[in-house]
Amino acid sequence: MENIKKFERIVHIFFLLQSRAVLPIEELTEKFQVTRRTIYRDLSILERAGIPLVNNPGAGYSIIDGFRLPPSRFNEGEVLSVMIAEKIMRNHETESVRRNFEQVLTKIKSSFHSHQKHEILHLQDKLLIKEKFDAKDYVSNIMDTLLKSAVNKKLTDILYKNAKGDKPNLRTVEPVGVFNENGNWYLLAYCHSRCDYRNFRLDRIQKLDVQEKYFEKDHPSINELNERLHSQYFTKITVTVDRKYAHFLSFERDDFGYVKEVITSETVLMYFNCKSHPASFVRWFLRFVDVGEITEPAHLKEELSVILKAGMMRMGKMAFI
């Protein structure tokens, strides 16, 4: 059994090496939960099997450029996953991303056996992805351009229109990366105008120009920066809901930064780190005001009360029309 596990690990390492430019030793030890010495032995076995490995000091290992074995075969579960991914990506609103993914998928499918290709054909009408991403009006090839600018460390000028609809203003930014959140794509970049990191919605970028000038600063990863920015800009909210009706909130609560809940005999106490504007949370929670209440912060309780009073007054006026 131990030999089987060892063989599977070595094969997995080989496929990882083929799929990556450089593979750090630390990543392998963490992934397989083995020592560095074990990983070095596995790599030595691959070298003796004829795989030309290169040790990149301080970075990790890689395979000599140009070396490839014939494409591997896919099992039934992997074939099904490819089909599901294809269905999902057909709904992607960004044309360049969708087009590039289709090209990659074509290359993957070329490695399928004949019976696997027929299997996908017969499975096509067995899976339905109903959700459609909202169509956005993006600058042409904006995703590709921004990602390349981030990788190549090139200063980029964007003509940006804010949420208020004011006249677009020109910003010079150092792109860090692109991410998707709550149905929108964002550029995370260091903004020269604000001298700080900012998020820019891609559909609000009216024009995009990549300069020939490079920026020198080494920015943290987009994951690190995104977590850092979100930790700075969220509102802690607590609500209490009658236990009998608490499940109704579960359908959308993740959109408002749901963290955890504490269940008692009669109520459910829910905690949120809301990244949206607090007013949007209040208006969402308005649907459940007959079965729950906002416990904290106090100013949101007051805002909810103001909205309810305004609504009652409006309904009273309409009754006399």
Side-chain angles (χ1 to χ4, degrees), residues 12-50:
H12 198 159
I13 291 173
F14 169 69
F15 285 130
L16 286 172
L17 285 164
Q18 277 205 313
S19 66
R20 301 275 289 276
V22 179
L23 191 59
I25 294 294
E26 292 75 13
E27 182 176 331
L28 292 173
T29 58
E30 182 177 349
K31 182 177 184 62
F32 297 107
Q33 294 296 299
V34 295
T35 64
R36 292 173 67 94
R37 185 176 178 182
T38 297
I39 295 298
Y40 284 131
R41 281 202 300 262
D42 292 344
L43 292 170
S44 177
I45 290 172
L46 285 173
E47 285 185 304
R48 292 200 299 272

Side-chain angles (χ1 to χ4, degrees), residues 122-149:
H122 293 308
L123 284 170
Q124 287 296 329
D125 62 349
K126 301 296 188 294
L127 176 68
L128 175 65
I129 307 293
K130 296 183 67 175
E131 181 179 355
K132 286 279 187 182
F133 294 99
D134 293 334
K136 305 289 184 182
D137 186 15
Y138 292 127
V139 172
S140 179
N141 296 324
I142 187 171
M143 192 85 69
D144 299 348
T145 303
L146 289 173
L147 289 173
K148 288 177 182 176
S149 297

Side-chain angles (χ1 to χ4, degrees), residues 32 45 64 122-123 146 150 152 174 228 242 305 315-316 318:
F32 297 107
I45 290 172
I64 289 179
H122 293 308
L123 284 170
L146 289 173
N152 297 328
E174 300 178 11
R228 186 191 304 176
D242 294 347
S305 177
M315 290 178 66
M318 290 179 65

Side-chain angles (χ1 to χ4, degrees), residues 28 33 42 51 57 106 118 174 184 191 195 204 237 254 267 270:
L28 292 173
Q33 294 296 299
D42 292 344
I51 309 300
T106 298
H118 285 294
E174 300 178 11
N184 292 303
C191 178
C195 296
R204 292 180 184 157
I237 302 174
D254 288 340
T267 64
M270 296 185 187

